[in-house]
């Protein structure tokens, strides 16, 4: 690590701390040549390998944009989209891979989106999984219904009245 003051290339780490919920490391360094101290931030750069083979940095904003399109016209708040993108990034980081295929990003989006809004999930999944027939949609809807029926009793409240 080069000293920003004297450009010397020998420094020692005085202190290290995790920052940004463990996503980066802040290091306090001391230059051996001039004795001045400086701070560096080290973070893992996530890279996404697209189908074409091109590699680009992971972007939370691209996740939000893609999910926002699927949520168009749905009662989904912007904050919920940001939280979903954060969950996706955490899931990707927890995989321990610095480079991952774009397909894996799509898979990481599907779970949280399914919990957020089923209609948006269907829209996103239809494009992501390239549905080619009505049967593809029917199967996905049947899976959604089965998952909903498998939820513990009491999670979905019946708000209807008996009318008496």
């Amino acid at each position: 690590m080069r000293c920003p003051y004297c450009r010397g290339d020998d420094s020692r780490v005085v202190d290290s701390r995790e920052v940004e919920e463990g996503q980066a490391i802040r290091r306090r360094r001391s230059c051996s040549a001039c004795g001045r101290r400086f701070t560096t931030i080290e973070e893992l750069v996530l890279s996404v390998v697209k189908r074409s083979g091109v590699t680009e940095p992971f972007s939370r904003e691209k996740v939000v944009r893609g999910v926002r399109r699927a949520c168009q016209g749905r009662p989904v708040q912007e904050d919920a989209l940001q939280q979903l993108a954060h969950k996706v990034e955490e899931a990707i980081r927890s995989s321990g891979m610095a480079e991952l295929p774009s397909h894996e990003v799509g898979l990481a989006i599907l779970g949280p989106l399914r919990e957020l809004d089923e209609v948006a999930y269907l829209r996103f999944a239809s494009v992501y999984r390239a549905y080619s027939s009505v049967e593809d949609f029917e199967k996905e809807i049947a899976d959604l219904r089965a998952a909903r029926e498998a939820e513990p009793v009491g999670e979905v409240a019946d708000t209807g009245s008996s009318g008496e």
Side-chain angles (χ1 to χ4, degrees), residues 3 5 19 29-30 39 53 55 62 70 73 78 84 86-87 95 99 101 108 117 119-121 125 131 139 145 154:
C3 172
Y5 304 108
V19 293
R29 296 178 176 271
S30 176
T39 301
T55 302
K62 283 185 87 169
E78 182 65 25
L84 182 140
H86 181 73
K87 284 181 187 176
S95 75
E99 251 188 30
D117 187 280
V119 172
Y121 166 79
Y131 290 175
K139 182 187 178 314
R145 285 185 176 137

Side-chain angles (χ1 to χ4, degrees), residues 9 25 69 86 94 99:
D9 61 358
I25 298 173
R69 268 187 245 123
H86 181 73
S94 70
E99 251 188 30

